[in-house]
Amino acid sequence: MKMTFRWYGSQMDPIPLRYIKQIPNMSGVVSSLMDMPAGALWPTERIQALKQEVNDAGLELEVIESVNVHEDIKLGLPGRDEYIDNYCKTIERLGQAGVKVICYNFMPVFDWTRSDLFKPRADGATVLAYDQAVIDKITDPQDFADRIQQGAGEFEMAGWEPERMAEIKHLFAQYQSVSHEDLFRNLRYFLEAVIPVCERYDVKMAIHPDDPPWDIFGLPRICTNRDNVTRILSLVDSPCNGLTLCSGSMGSNPCNDIPAMVREFGSRGRIHFGHVRNIKFTGPGQFEEAAHFSADGSLDLYEIMKAYYDIGFEGYIRPDHGRMIWDEQGRAGYGLYDRALGVAYLSGLWEAIQKDHR
Ligand code: DNO
């Protein structure tokens, strides 16, 4: 297992790389060129400059999260071929720069969605929260997107790129006739083009589960449960067609058994990246994020880490969203302090599990 930490690049992340390097057990950062719109061809010099900067700090850059997929690809529009070509060339360039895993998602319009970005807890910490009842009351998705962006303050939300948010109404109209089956078909078309390139350049694609893993705003979502993941992995049956198993996203539907999924898909060599975090179920269709510790939420992180250990996981792991604590000002879910506590906890679990098995 290689421990990593998400970093948004020096232009957009207030956390210096040297702080990340100082977290024990840290092998590298997971990063991206945040200003590249979905569908763009990433310039080689920008990729190399990012790699250099990260390597100069003593860290590796082996995981990119994300190279975003253009909506035309998800919609299956004729314009998709040009965007897919760009995606393939970007994979080639990333592979040449030593990148091993690309995390991406196939969620229509909205990436991860929350109804509250800074929900106060009794101890003064704040957490991200989701309440389906609040989402169901929203009549204007544009207004919702604006509110989320405003709520995020000076930090752009990952996956909520301004170009995409600017055309929400139009996108909603386009998705009106797109079914779950269409999405599977469009994902297959995309994977059939990119996976052979990944095989050539030794890069693994790792789809991120939909967050939350059910349809929202009437938009179809397909990376939502075990059966659909099985289907997605078989669309193109190659080790390069893999999964980012995000415990918090997939786990926000209590029917999804995360340790079982780690064992099933991990032993088939199809999990390339693990996002490990905790959430607390607060009611049907409702959850709050929690500290990484098992006792703080509803997921058993020991069982999750043990499943990774048992299958001999050699991929990348990162802590995921943290609470905002100690008055830190930062990007919702992506402060330094609670994620660093998360690393310490996950690394501690790993060491204990390892020693128990000697
Ligand atoms: C949120 C993240 C997602 C994830 C993308 C992957 O915190 O987990 O934005 O990066 O869905 O493409």
Side-chain angles (χ1 to χ4, degrees):
M1 178 270 276
K2 276 189 167 184
M3 184 59 76
T4 56
F5 203 80
R6 191 172 193 183
W7 180 68
Y8 289 91
S10 41
Q11 299 301 312
M12 295 190 68
D13 202 319
I15 304 170
L17 281 172
R18 83 174 183 288
Y19 286 14
I20 298 175
K21 175 72 184 164
Q22 287 164 0
I23 304 171
N25 194 29
M26 193 51 61
S27 80
V29 293
V30 170
S31 195
S32 184
L33 296 180
M34 291 285 290
D35 57 328
M36 282 289 133
L41 172 59
W42 288 22
T44 308
E45 319 74 63
R46 295 281 315 277
I47 296 171
Q48 292 297 340
L50 177 65
K51 179 186 164 67
Q52 196 60 51
E53 188 182 7
V54 170
N55 290 168
D56 286 350
L59 293 160
E60 287 168 353
L61 179 71
E62 296 185 341
V63 184
I64 295 293
E65 177 176 353
S66 310
V67 180
N68 285 319
V69 176
H70 195 277
E71 295 297 324
D72 283 9
I73 298 176
K74 298 179 222 166
L75 284 159
L77 296 179
R80 67 180 159 177
D81 291 327
E82 189 189 330
Y83 297 124
I84 291 177
D85 275 354
N86 285 347
Y87 210 103
C88 290
K89 287 201 196 84
T90 300
I91 293 173
E92 176 181 335
R93 291 176 181 183
L94 290 172
Q96 284 166 340
V99 167
K100 302 286 176 214
V101 174
I102 295 175
C103 170
Y104 73 105
N105 72 78
F106 217 71
M107 290 176 245
V109 192
F110 293 116
D111 192 326
W112 60 310
T113 301
R114 295 290 179 273
S115 47
D116 198 339
L117 298 183
F118 295 99
K119 184 170 182 189
R121 286 178 61 165
D123 60 5
T126 64
V127 290
L128 293 146
Y130 186 87
D131 183 350
Q132 189 61 47
V134 172
I135 299 291
D136 287 344
K137 286 203 200 89
I138 293 162
T139 48
D140 182 357
Q142 181 73 60
D143 180 51
F144 173 67
D146 294 345
R147 264 182 19 221
I148 289 285
Q149 203 41 72
Q150 275 159 20
E154 62 186 288
F155 302 103
E156 182 185 308
M157 294 267 291
W160 290 63
E161 315 90 50
E163 313 81 47
R164 190 149 42 132
M165 293 306 116
E167 48 169 32
I168 286 185
K169 281 215 172 69
H170 178 57
L171 284 171
F172 264 74
Q174 287 179 305
Y175 273 105
Q176 206 104 78
S177 58
V178 175
S179 65
H180 295 91
E181 286 308 308
D182 293 327
L183 263 192
F184 274 113
R185 206 169 305 120
N186 298 340
L187 178 56
R188 178 198 295 274
Y189 185 93
F190 171 68
L191 290 172
E192 280 174 349
V194 300
I195 295 301
V197 182
C198 289
E199 286 169 346
R200 211 167 311 133
Y201 293 96
D202 190 24
V203 175
K204 307 271 196 300
M205 292 295 284
I207 192 167
H208 187 283
D210 301 342
D211 184 353
W214 54 78
D215 295 357
I216 56 167
F217 298 115
L219 298 164
R221 290 186 152 197
I222 55 172
C223 195
T224 50
N225 57 37
R226 175 207 172 259
D227 289 352
N228 282 12
V229 169
T230 305
R231 190 168 164 197
I232 289 170
L233 299 183
S234 67
L235 290 176
V236 172
D237 196 12
S238 157
C240 291
N241 176 20
L243 180 66
T244 296
L245 184 51
C246 176
S247 63
S249 308
M250 207 45 119
S252 52
N253 178 349
C255 301
N256 288 332
D257 179 341
I258 305 304
M261 289 175 88
V262 172
R263 288 177 197 279
E264 177 175 353
F265 299 119
S267 57
R268 289 174 50 198
R270 300 298 275 272
I271 300 178
H272 303 310
F273 189 20
H275 288 181
V276 187
R277 71 174 154 94
N278 208 348
I279 49 158
K280 189 188 281 187
F281 302 122
T282 48
Q286 251 187 30
F287 59 88
E288 272 180 28
E289 298 195 0
H292 285 73
F293 295 71
S294 301
D296 202 51
S298 305
L299 304 183
D300 188 333
L301 269 70
Y302 168 80
E303 287 299 338
I304 294 174
M305 292 306 278
K306 183 155 183 322
Y308 277 114
Y309 180 84
D310 287 346
I311 57 146
F313 186 67
E314 287 182 345
Y316 304 87
I317 284 207
R318 71 164 178 81
D320 202 2
H321 310 161
R323 303 161 300 154
M324 262 323 157
I325 56 171
W326 304 336
D327 297 329
E328 184 175 12
Q329 302 294 313
R331 178 178 272 106
Y334 286 99
L336 171 67
Y337 304 146
D338 202 34
R339 286 189 298 150
L341 290 179
V343 173
Y345 176 65
L346 298 179
S347 303
L349 283 177
W350 191 264
E351 179 180 341
I353 296 165
Q354 224 166 17
K355 288 187 171 161
D356 274 353
H357 284 75
R358 271 206 301 237

